[in-house]
């Protein structure tokens, strides 16, 4: 299997510290591990790219409506390993919940625990390892897929920042004709004031295989932090992937999540995001349909309150005929919260008989909340069916009055109505246990608000 990365003879060797992030005024501390030469070079090149790309400006269309001043990177420091007592606490806090085939736990980009419960998976050829280990042991496979897709929705600078610093994350490879019944789950914790993390998920689903993967991102406390994550999802012919991203960073976190999904012939991807935490959280999601008969479902729920800002940018890119995509994003906004949605359905030349939908709905619980929606179409083929739309509204007064008149407290009545509004997206997952887990997380946030 050939690699897309030039050999070490074609590239100069570099000091590993040169490729490390400098978020503070001085050089980063010595790392306690070695990367393969190709990966170290990749990090070094990405750091130079990050420095060369100017920060976003208010005039940039890709950052329209975004609060640019929230993007200040000054003051964020590299994370330090958590103490053993903290590690034990975080492992304990990560227990319970869903029944999984395996669970991996990180804190501050440090692996705390890896537990594979379905032992037969390794015998079937499934690879499920920390990214750092996979880089060393599966170089050809990782290098062919790691951040090979262009970042096109505005955050190329932050993708380069991620690439320059990434070391923690999950690598999953499911060979052909393997179905994993239970989900694989990864949990990332950010601990310590002003620390940063760069979680990465790389998933390759082989021909006619099936897997569900859950990524959970949590703040260990209420401290300010910086998170810059990327996930690369690849589906080969006939593959099925359900990917669930639960973003629950602390309320003072600046967060980026950049998603790339590549869908092959007759493959089917469901990509679900739940946004709960963060002060400013930007999510970019691109779905590229590269094979006839491919399908992509892009789902998202955002529960925003206080002064939270959730910035969501999407692209449904149809490059082959007879492909389908369906995007459904729902946002609940209270207090002075803001959401931004900018999405595009692009039908490339020759991609005839494309079937694509895009719908965004905003529920405003406060007169001070603000929802900005910019759906769009770019159609360069014939015989297509593409629709898009965005709506914003408030809770129905008649329905609310009906519930209040029957003795239901106002806050509880609002919660029930919000859950009814959001439930359509959860039902699209088609997994009751995961759906119940997502509802419980939303319930906790609503109760704490």
């Amino acid at each position: 299997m050939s690699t897309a990365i030039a050999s070490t003879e074609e590239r100069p060797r570099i000091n590993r510290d040169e490729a490390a992030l400098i978020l503070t005024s001085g050089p980063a501390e010595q790392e306690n591990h070695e990367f393969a030469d190709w990966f170290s070079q990749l990090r070094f090149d990405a750091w130079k790219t990050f420095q060369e790309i100017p920060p976003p400006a208010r005039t940039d269309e890709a950052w329209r409506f975004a609060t640019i001043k929230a993007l200040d990177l000054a003051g964020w420091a590299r994370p330090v390993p958590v103490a053993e007592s903290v590690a034990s606490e975080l492992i304990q806090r990560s227990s319970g919940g869903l029944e999984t085939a395996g669970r991996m736990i990180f804190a501050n980009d440090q692996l705390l625990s890896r537990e594979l419960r379905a032992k037969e998976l390794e015998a079937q050829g499934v690879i499920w390892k920390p990214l750092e280990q996979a880089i060393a042991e599966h170089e050809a496979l990782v290098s062919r897929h790691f951040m090979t897709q262009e970042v096109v929705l505005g955050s190329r600078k932050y993708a380069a920042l991620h690439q320059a610093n990434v070391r923690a994350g999950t690598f999953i490879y499911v060979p052909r004709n393997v179905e994993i019944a239970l989900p694989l789950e990864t949990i990332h914790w950010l601990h310590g004031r002003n620390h940063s993390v760069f979680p990465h998920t790389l998933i390759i689903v082989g021909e006619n295989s099936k897997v569900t993967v859950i990524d959970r991102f949590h703040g260990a406390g209420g401290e300010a932090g910086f998170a810059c994550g990327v996930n690369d999802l690849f589906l080969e012919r006939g593959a099925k992937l359900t990917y669930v991203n639960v973003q629950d960073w602390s309320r003072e976190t600046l967060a980026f999540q950049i998603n790339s999904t590549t869908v092959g012939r007759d493959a089917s991807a469901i990509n679900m995001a739940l946004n709960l935490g963060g002060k400013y959280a930007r999510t970019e999601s691109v779905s590229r349909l590269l094979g006839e008969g491919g399908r992509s479902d892009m789902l998202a729920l955002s529960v925003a309150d206080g002064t939270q800002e959730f910035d969501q940018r999407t692209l449904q890119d149809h490059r082959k005929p007879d492909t389908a995509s369906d995007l459904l994003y729902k946002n609940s906004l209270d207090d002075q919260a803001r959401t931004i949605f900018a999405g595009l359905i692009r039908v490339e030349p020759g991609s005839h008989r494309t079937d694509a939908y895009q719908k965004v709905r905003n529920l405003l619980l406060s007169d001070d909340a603000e929802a900005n929606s910019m759906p769009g179409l770019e159609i360069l083929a014939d015989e297509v069916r593409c629709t898009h739309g965005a709506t914003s509204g408030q809770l129905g007064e008649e329905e609310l009055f009906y519930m209040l008149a029957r003795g239901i407290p106002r806050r509880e009545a609002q919660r029930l109505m919000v859950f009814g509004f959001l439930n359509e997206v959860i039902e699209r997952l088609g997994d009751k246990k995961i759906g119940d887990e997502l509802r419980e997380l939303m319930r906790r946030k609503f109760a704490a608000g």
Side-chain angles (χ1 to χ4, degrees):
M1 187 176 294
S2 62
T3 173
I5 305 299
S7 68
T8 56
E9 287 75 21
E10 297 170 321
R11 292 178 177 269
R13 294 182 62 86
I14 62 170
N15 185 294
R16 60 185 176 183
D17 293 333
E18 290 181 286
L21 170 65
I22 303 173
L23 284 177
T24 57
S25 58
E29 69 274 13
Q30 182 84 358
E31 296 184 17
N32 59 3
H33 61 276
E34 294 279 359
F35 281 120
D37 289 337
W38 71 268
F39 195 75
S40 293
Q41 185 67 54
L42 202 69
R43 283 158 58 94
F44 179 64
D45 292 343
W47 176 239
K48 291 193 297 183
T49 300
F50 167 74
Q51 292 177 306
E52 292 167 357
I53 300 175
R58 295 179 63 86
T59 55
D60 295 341
E61 182 63 25
W63 295 85
R64 188 179 178 188
F65 295 117
T67 303
I68 299 299
K69 65 181 181 181
L71 306 178
D72 185 8
L73 297 182
W76 305 119
R78 293 173 61 87
V80 296
V82 299
E84 289 188 14
S85 58
V86 174
S88 298
E89 177 192 349
L90 296 180
I91 292 173
Q92 180 62 34
R93 289 172 64 178
S94 303
S95 62
L98 292 167
E99 182 184 4
T100 64
R103 178 175 290 132
M104 210 176 294
I105 304 170
F106 294 86
N108 290 5
D109 286 349
Q110 171 194 11
L111 179 66
L112 302 185
S113 172
R114 176 186 180 272
E115 182 182 7
L116 182 61
R117 296 165 181 166
K119 302 296 185 182
E120 70 278 5
L121 295 182
E122 291 181 342
Q124 294 175 302
V126 174
I127 302 172
W128 181 66
K129 295 179 179 179
L131 180 65
E132 185 176 346
Q133 183 179 353
I135 290 168
E137 298 177 2
H138 306 282
E139 176 179 333
L141 195 56
V142 175
S143 63
R144 286 182 56 207
H145 297 87
F146 179 81
M147 294 188 71
T148 56
Q149 301 299 306
E150 184 180 3
V151 177
V152 296
L153 296 180
S155 286
R156 183 165 168 257
K157 181 178 182 68
Y158 302 100
L161 181 65
H162 171 92
Q163 193 173 51
N165 295 276
V166 60
R167 67 173 184 176
T170 307
F171 175 74
I172 300 171
Y173 171 71
V174 185
R176 62 185 302 176
N177 299 323
V178 173
E179 180 172 337
I180 301 178
L182 294 174
L184 291 169
E185 182 179 48
T186 301
I187 301 172
H188 289 271
W189 292 94
L190 176 53
H191 180 273
R193 184 171 182 80
N194 295 334
H195 285 171
S196 56
V197 291
F198 299 88
H200 195 98
T201 299
L202 174 54
I203 304 172
I204 306 166
V205 189
E207 186 175 340
N208 297 322
S209 292
K210 183 178 180 180
V211 65
T212 295
V213 178
I214 303 172
D215 272 344
R216 300 178 64 150
F217 305 97
H218 297 288
E223 301 95 348
F226 174 63
C228 189
V230 171
N231 53 283
D232 299 316
L233 315 179
F234 293 88
L235 288 80
E236 298 179 0
R237 182 170 183 164
K240 297 182 185 301
L241 169 65
T242 298
Y243 176 75
V244 180
N245 179 316
V246 178
Q247 185 274 106
D248 194 19
W249 298 119
S250 79
R251 296 294 293 266
E252 297 301 317
T253 298
L254 167 62
F256 293 88
Q257 189 68 35
I258 301 169
N259 168 73
S260 172
T261 303
T262 301
V263 182
R265 184 182 181 94
D266 297 323
S268 177
I270 299 177
N271 194 318
M272 168 80 183
L274 174 61
N275 294 305
L276 299 172
K279 184 175 184 179
Y280 172 90
R282 180 175 172 109
T283 304
E284 295 184 1
S285 188
V286 176
S287 188
R288 296 178 173 91
L289 293 118
L290 305 185
E292 296 180 23
R295 178 181 177 87
S296 175
D297 287 85
M298 304 170 71
L299 311 172
L301 292 172
S302 297
V303 182
D305 58 19
T307 58
Q308 287 183 297
E309 182 171 331
F310 293 148
D311 188 351
Q312 304 168 101
R313 316 280 169 152
T314 68
L315 172 61
Q316 296 155 258
D317 191 6
H318 293 259
R319 299 189 180 182
K320 292 291 183 179
D322 301 300
T323 55
S325 66
D326 193 351
L327 180 149
L328 177 59
Y329 277 34
K330 286 194 173 186
N331 305 310
S332 168
L333 300 89
D334 204 352
D335 305 319
Q336 293 83 44
R338 301 179 72 240
T339 59
I340 304 161
F341 173 83
L344 178 66
I345 297 174
R346 177 187 294 153
V347 182
E348 305 282 1
S351 300
H352 307 302
R353 297 174 299 281
T354 287
D355 192 358
Y357 297 87
Q358 184 183 97
K359 181 165 64 175
V360 183
R361 296 187 63 192
N362 305 299
L363 181 61
L364 306 177
L365 306 178
S366 164
D367 292 337
D368 296 322
E370 177 186 339
N372 303 281
S373 300
M374 299 173 287
L377 298 173
E378 183 179 328
I379 301 175
L380 304 173
D382 301 321
E383 301 179 55
V384 302
R385 182 170 60 179
C386 298
T387 62
H388 68 151
T391 62
S392 295
Q394 297 179 324
L395 290 175
E397 289 298 326
E398 290 186 7
E399 292 88 345
L400 186 59
F401 175 79
Y402 177 87
M403 300 178 78
L404 295 176
R406 279 149 182 79
I408 300 175
R410 186 178 188 87
R411 185 69 176 172
E412 177 64 12
Q414 289 178 328
R415 184 187 71 82
L416 291 172
M417 294 177 70
V418 170
F419 274 39
F421 168 75
L422 299 174
N423 193 59
E424 177 187 3
V425 182
I426 295 178
E427 290 294 321
R428 287 275 298 273
L429 268 180
D431 190 305
K432 184 180 184 304
K433 291 182 179 179
I434 296 178
D436 288 345
E437 179 78 5
L438 299 182
R439 293 184 188 94
E440 174 61 18
L441 292 171
M442 291 192 296
R443 185 197 65 77
R444 291 177 192 173
K445 176 164 185 179
F446 202 93

